[in-house]
């Protein structure tokens, strides 16, 4: 009987005019929003996280606060970190290793073109190995820097594929001009999926300090805790030390100490806010869509009053009529859901491809069938619920009156 | 002679409609007994209460007062769902305006009453095909009502009324929307059904039609029974048919 009701409902839906389809717009928009948001969500999170340079490594990042201008982390701080701070952090019992990283904005000339980008320092000795280890990538061509290299650099992947605006690939052995000084390119880093790496120029610490006149200032200190599980305690130790070192009170710090987890939480909080907003919009659309279905089904019951009378005269019980309209209403919702799921999935796929193209990331677009299943189920249920009252009205029609139309 | 089985019995039935302060007595103390195999006409002018009577006989409506027995069961005690089931099974309706469902093909229209009786799809389709062929519409199974002429639609309606093999066919002005020739054909179908043992109840405002085809005519006026006329000839015919059938059965 339920199968029959479904088949009959599909027949009835085929006869519907454009008016009925327009009422599905609400459900369509709602489901589109939900499906595209969730499909994009993972990509967005990954993209944002990678742009913040957040890795899965268990490293604590320390940078000076009170930023004066825009720029890479640590640059332009009122009271920058110094080698004194680094030495003090190194001495902490809960810190296994602390390494300085300098990151500076610079200009690069090649092929008669000039671009602006970032130069990042590579430390020497053991620290170099540590940083390469953390980088977790190999040269795609050429080689990385050694301690004995001076006047040499290696570059991010985007230089290799001509995505930085130089109109020409940069290959090992070529010379580039950085802040008016010539450097030889040793190698190219393989693709990392974030412009923090892919667009960067890597230079030995010594060269960089000369080029940018660093003195004893430091942009970022990376600290590795002795015990991975006590990363938060290590973080507190560093904060306490730096407060003392820099003579600031708790709550008035001119520096920040962050763990990858905390940074990720910040990113997720921002994304969460955006998601909450879209979910509210989606819920409103679905609610409006449901009202549309109530409306169109109520009209439909009035229009098909005679049909209800005929059905009753040939043996339809109230529950048969109810089921008929209830299922029809659910199918109406489902149709909106199907359209929305298709459109939302397309937005998810093309949006992800767009993110990849824009940010140079490499996120695979995915089709989440569980999500699609539940959004379709949800839209059927919303439709069916919206149809309850019209279906009840249809079911309790008096056969004699209904037959008169 | 075996006593004819009483199939429908109205016992002092009243149906009142309340319109503000006024009471409209659409049916006012009607008693009718219809036995199996009869071709009955309920005759009356507009406002005589014949339509209301037909709704009551067809269990589409409940009386304000009085009792209605269908196959010796008092239907006033039935729930709505039971009533629908009984109606679908025991009574086949034929309407003046055909009342086919426009979204469904001829074949599907005939399958619907069987669906409500829970008959499986294969059987439904077979029976519906058979019925459509019996009204000479075997070629038009997949046509929608708007693709059929009035006469064809009424034949589909006749086939539909037979879907659940009911004991009673209730026809409300079955020729009202048809030209004389097509109307005649539809009446022939009804007469044939009657010969095969179906009880036919036809509601009409046309006295000629009533007297020509029916064996018993109930004349209604102002919601009351005015008179009953019987056609002797027809009775004996039916008895002959019955006897033939009985002989065959033996």
């Amino acid at each position: 009987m339920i199968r029959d009701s479904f088949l009959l409902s599909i027949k009835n839906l085929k006869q519907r005019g454009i008016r009925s389809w327009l009422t599905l717009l609400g459900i369509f928009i709602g489901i589109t929003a939900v499906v595209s948001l969730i499909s994009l969500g993972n990509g967005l999170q990954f993209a944002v996280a990678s742009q913040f340079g957040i890795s899965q490594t268990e490293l604590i990042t320390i940078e000076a606060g009170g930023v004066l201008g825009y720029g890479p982390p640590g640059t332009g701080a009122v009271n920058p970190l110094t080698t004194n701070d680094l030495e003090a952090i190194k001495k902490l019992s809960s810190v296994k290793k602390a390494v300085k990283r300098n990151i500076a904005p610079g200009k690069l000339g090649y092929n008669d073109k000039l671009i602006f980008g970032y130069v990042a320092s590579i430390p020497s000795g053991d620290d170099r190995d540590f940083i390469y280890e953390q980088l977790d990538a190999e040269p795609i061509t050429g080689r990385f820097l050694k301690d004995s290299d001076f006047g040499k650099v290696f570059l991010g992947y985007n230089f290799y594929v001509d995505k930085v605006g130089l109109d020409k690939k940069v290959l090992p052995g070529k010379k580039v001009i950085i802040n008016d000084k010539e450097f030889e390119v040793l190698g190219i880093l393989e693709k990392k999926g974030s412009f923090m790496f892919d667009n960067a120029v890597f230079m030995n610490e010594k060269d960089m300090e000369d080029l940018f006149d660093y003195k004893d200032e430091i942009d970022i200190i990376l600290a590795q805790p002795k015990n991975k599980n006590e990363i938060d305690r290590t973080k507190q130790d560093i904060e306490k030390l730096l407060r003392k070192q820099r003579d600031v009170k708790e709550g008035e710090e001119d520096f920040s100490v962050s763990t990858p987890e905390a940074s990720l939480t910040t990113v997720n909080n921002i994304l969460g806010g955006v998601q909450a907003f879209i979910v509210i919009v989606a819920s409103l659309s679905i609610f409006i869509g449901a009202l549309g279905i109530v409306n169109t089904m109520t009209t439909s019951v009035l229009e098909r009053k005679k049909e209800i009378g005929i059905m009753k005269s040939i043996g339809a019980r109230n529950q048969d009529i109810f089921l008929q309209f209830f299922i029809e209403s659910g199918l109406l919702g489902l149709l909106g859901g199907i359209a929305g799921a298709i459109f939302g999935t397309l937005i998810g796929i093309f949006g992800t491809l767009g993110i990849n193209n824009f940010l140079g990331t490499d996120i695979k677009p995915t089709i989440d069938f569980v999500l699609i299943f539940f959004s379709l189920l949800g839209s059927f249920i919303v439709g069916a619920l919206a149809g309850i009252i019209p279906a009840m009205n249809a079911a309790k029609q008096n056969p004699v009156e209904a037959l008169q139309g | 002679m075996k006593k004819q089985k009483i199939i429908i019995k109205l016992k002092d039935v009243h149906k009142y409609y309340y319109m503000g302060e006024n009471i409209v007595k659409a049916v006012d103390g009607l008693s009718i007994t219809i036995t199996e195999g009869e071709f009955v006409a309920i005759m009356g002018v507009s406002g005589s209460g014949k339509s209301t009577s037909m709704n009551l006989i067809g269990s589409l409506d409940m009386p304000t007062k009085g009792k209605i027995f269908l196959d010796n069961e008092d239907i006033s005690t039935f729930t709505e769902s039971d009533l629908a089931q009984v109606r679908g099974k025991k009574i086949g309706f034929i309407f003046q305006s055909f009342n086919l469902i426009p979204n469904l093909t001829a074949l599907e229209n005939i399958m619907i009453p069987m669906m409500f009786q829970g008959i499986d799809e294969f059987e439904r389709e077979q029976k519906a095909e058979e019925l459509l062929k019996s009204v000479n519409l075997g070629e038009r199974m997949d046509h929608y009502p708007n693709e059929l002429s009035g006469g064809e639609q009424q034949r589909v309606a006749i086939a539909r009324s037979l879907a659940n093999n009911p004991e009673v066919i209730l026809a409300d002005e079955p020729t009202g929307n048809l030209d004389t020739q097509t109307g005649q054909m539809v009446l022939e179908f009804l007469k044939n059904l009657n010969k095969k043992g179906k009880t036919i109840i036809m509601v009409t405002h046309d006295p000629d039609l009533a007297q020509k085809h029916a064996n018993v005519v109930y004349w209604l006026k102002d919601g009351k029974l005015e008179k009953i006329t019987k056609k002797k000839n027809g009775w004996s015919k039916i008895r002959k048919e019955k006897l033939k059938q009985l002989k065959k059965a033996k």
Side-chain angles (χ1 to χ4, degrees):
Chain A
M1 184 68 211
I2 285 182
R3 187 173 158 266
D4 292 321
S5 297
F6 265 100
L7 293 177
L8 260 182
S9 299
I10 290 168
K11 278 213 141 238
N12 284 330
L13 284 176
K14 280 189 190 160
Q15 310 288 325
R16 294 232 175 187
I18 194 159
R19 192 191 56 202
S20 295
W21 304 123
L22 284 176
T23 59
L24 296 182
L25 223 55
I27 302 269
F28 167 71
I29 291 170
I31 298 294
T32 301
V34 170
V35 171
S36 60
L37 174 78
I38 297 179
S39 307
L40 274 178
N42 297 334
L44 273 180
Q45 189 185 12
F46 185 81
V48 174
S50 69
Q51 298 314 307
F52 274 94
I54 297 161
S55 60
Q56 290 304 308
T57 51
E58 298 295 323
L59 288 183
I60 297 167
T61 307
I62 303 128
E63 45 190 289
V67 174
L68 277 178
Y70 296 102
T75 57
V78 179
N79 187 10
L81 297 167
T82 63
T83 32
N84 280 342
D85 296 328
L86 177 65
E87 291 310 316
I89 290 168
K90 277 182 175 169
K91 280 177 194 146
L92 277 174
S93 61
S94 58
V95 171
K96 187 177 171 193
K97 199 169 188 57
V99 180
K100 70 169 175 180
R101 294 297 311 278
N102 284 335
I103 299 173
K107 56 183 188 207
L108 182 144
Y110 181 71
N111 188 33
D112 290 333
K113 289 261 164 32
L114 193 65
I115 57 161
F116 293 87
Y118 299 115
V119 181
S121 71
I122 300 288
S124 54
D126 289 348
D127 291 349
R128 175 188 303 279
D129 300 336
F130 176 70
I131 288 297
Y132 286 165
E133 201 179 296
Q134 295 300 327
L135 204 54
D136 190 27
E138 296 296 319
I140 194 163
T141 174
R143 65 168 176 88
F144 284 166
L145 288 161
K146 286 188 211 157
D147 277 1
S148 54
D149 292 323
F150 292 102
K152 289 167 185 172
V153 292
F154 70 90
L155 306 173
Y157 180 76
N158 285 348
F159 284 92
Y160 184 63
V161 291
D162 183 25
K163 265 179 136 180
V164 289
L166 290 170
D167 293 343
K168 196 175 174 187
K169 286 168 87 163
V170 185
L171 294 167
K174 300 283 180 193
K175 309 257 171 165
V176 293
I177 313 289
I178 299 168
N179 284 15
D180 303 326
K181 199 177 164 203
E182 199 177 72
F183 285 85
E184 186 193 334
V185 177
L186 283 176
I188 305 284
L189 180 67
E190 69 183 1
K191 186 172 178 175
K192 290 286 288 177
S194 158
F195 78 93
M196 294 269 292
F197 299 103
D198 292 343
N199 281 17
V201 173
F202 300 89
M203 188 183 283
N204 267 338
E205 208 168 79
K206 185 75 188 46
D207 273 340
M208 196 163 164
E209 277 165 12
D210 293 347
L211 190 65
F212 292 92
D213 192 19
Y214 261 96
K215 297 189 181 106
D216 70 341
E217 287 172 18
I218 294 175
D219 289 331
I220 296 174
I221 298 171
L222 295 177
Q224 186 185 29
K226 269 215 177 91
N227 187 342
K228 272 187 179 181
N229 303 324
E230 292 187 356
I231 189 162
D232 285 327
R233 220 204 68 210
T234 311
K235 180 186 171 221
Q236 284 160 18
D237 287 349
I238 296 170
E239 281 171 337
K240 204 167 147 194
L241 171 83
L242 286 180
R243 276 199 294 272
K244 206 173 129 205
Q245 187 94 0
R246 296 159 70 92
D247 194 25
V248 287
K249 288 186 190 127
E250 193 166 356
E252 293 175 4
E253 288 91 346
D254 59 352
F255 59 89
S256 75
V257 180
S258 55
T259 57
E261 205 179 322
S263 308
L264 207 59
T265 308
T266 312
V267 171
N268 285 342
N269 283 345
I270 297 166
L271 281 178
V274 174
Q275 282 175 339
F277 175 73
I278 295 179
V279 164
I280 289 169
V281 172
S283 311
L284 276 176
S285 315
I286 290 172
F287 181 69
I288 292 166
L291 289 183
I293 290 181
V294 172
N295 180 44
T296 192
M297 287 309 291
T298 305
T299 319
S300 180
V301 169
L302 292 176
E303 282 172 353
R304 285 153 62 191
K305 205 169 163 186
K306 183 151 191 176
E307 190 182 314
I308 295 166
I310 299 170
M311 295 281 224
K312 287 199 159 186
S313 75
I314 59 178
R317 296 163 302 173
N318 288 4
Q319 58 260 45
D320 297 326
I321 303 284
F322 176 84
L323 203 63
Q324 180 69 54
F325 280 84
F326 182 71
I327 290 174
E328 203 171 309
S329 188
L331 285 178
L332 213 51
L334 180 67
L335 280 171
I338 290 173
I342 292 172
F343 202 61
T345 305
L346 288 179
I347 290 179
I349 291 170
F350 287 108
T352 306
L353 294 178
I355 290 174
N356 282 344
N357 195 35
F358 190 65
L359 296 174
T361 48
D362 200 10
I363 307 156
K364 280 224 171 67
T366 50
I367 297 176
D368 188 341
F369 288 102
V370 176
L371 168 71
I372 290 172
F373 173 76
F374 279 104
S375 32
L376 294 186
L377 184 70
S379 48
F380 180 83
I381 291 172
V382 168
L385 289 179
I388 285 182
I389 290 173
M392 276 165 62
N393 283 337
K396 66 176 189 223
Q397 294 281 340
N398 175 295
V400 174
E401 283 170 31
L403 267 174
Q404 283 157 3
Chain B
M1 206 79 226
K2 188 181 151 227
K3 201 184 171 234
Q4 294 287 321
K5 177 182 155 198
I6 292 170
I7 200 152
I8 288 168
K9 190 172 177 184
L10 273 67
K11 206 172 162 190
D12 193 26
V13 167
H14 300 253
K15 181 70 188 180
Y16 299 162
Y17 292 104
Y18 299 89
M19 300 178 110
E21 301 262 302
N22 299 327
I23 300 175
V24 179
K25 296 178 174 179
V27 171
D28 194 15
L30 188 63
S31 296
I32 292 178
T33 305
I34 297 167
T35 47
E36 196 179 27
E38 279 186 307
F39 194 137
V40 176
I42 295 175
M43 181 38 231
V45 293
S46 155
S48 61
K50 64 180 192 303
S51 289
T52 309
S53 310
M54 136 126 190
N55 291 335
L56 290 166
I57 293 168
S59 73
L60 286 169
D61 213 348
M62 285 296 201
T64 315
K65 222 169 82 182
K67 284 190 168 159
I68 299 172
F69 297 90
L70 184 62
D71 256 354
N72 288 324
E73 278 185 295
D74 182 1
I75 61 170
S76 57
T77 61
F78 281 23
T79 65
E80 263 191 83
S81 286
D82 290 342
L83 211 54
Q85 278 286 300
V86 167
R87 192 192 301 143
K89 201 170 167 178
K90 296 195 170 169
I91 301 169
F93 284 90
I94 299 169
F95 300 94
Q96 177 173 4
S97 52
F98 324 132
N99 282 354
L100 299 176
I101 292 169
N103 294 344
L104 303 177
T105 63
L107 192 73
E108 288 164 340
N109 260 290
I110 300 169
M111 286 163 71
I112 290 280
M114 295 186 258
M115 179 181 111
F116 293 131
Q117 298 297 326
I119 292 165
D120 78 69
E121 205 180 340
F122 179 74
E123 202 184 326
R124 263 187 256 160
E125 201 167 334
Q126 278 211 323
K127 182 84 190 284
E129 272 186 38
E130 202 180 289
L131 284 168
L132 262 182
K133 282 176 189 158
S134 78
V135 292
N136 304 331
L137 284 174
E139 305 294 308
R140 321 220 68 179
M141 285 186 197
D142 297 326
H143 287 244
Y144 286 88
N146 62 6
E147 298 164 343
L148 299 171
S149 71
E152 288 170 330
Q153 286 190 55
Q154 196 60 303
R155 271 141 68 197
V156 174
I158 291 172
R160 179 180 66 184
S161 74
L162 296 169
N164 289 320
N165 198 21
E167 292 159 71
V168 182
I169 305 286
L170 204 51
D172 182 12
E173 303 273 11
T175 60
N177 280 10
L178 301 173
D179 60 65
T180 321
Q181 209 186 339
T182 325
Q184 190 55 45
M185 185 177 67
V186 165
L187 279 167
E188 285 306 318
F189 272 111
L190 291 180
K191 280 177 108 172
N192 262 324
L193 289 172
N194 182 237
K195 277 183 192 158
K196 286 173 188 162
K198 297 273 183 224
T199 310
I200 312 280
I201 303 169
M202 179 172 75
V203 175
T204 182
H205 68 280
D206 183 347
D208 293 338
L209 204 68
Q211 284 172 309
K212 191 173 164 201
H213 299 284
N215 313 114
V216 189
V217 183
Y218 290 84
W219 302 76
L220 297 193
K221 197 180 176 188
D222 299 331
K224 290 188 169 80
L225 192 61
E226 197 185 23
K227 58 179 176 181
I228 307 173
T229 54
K230 289 188 180 181
K231 193 204 257 176
K232 291 277 183 273
N233 214 5
W235 272 108
S236 57
K237 256 187 187 170
I238 285 169
R239 286 202 174 123
K240 273 180 198 161
E241 280 292 326
K242 275 270 160 198
L243 279 172
K244 264 188 205 163
Q245 272 184 12
L246 284 170
K247 271 180 190 165
K248 250 187 191 174
K250 276 173 187 173

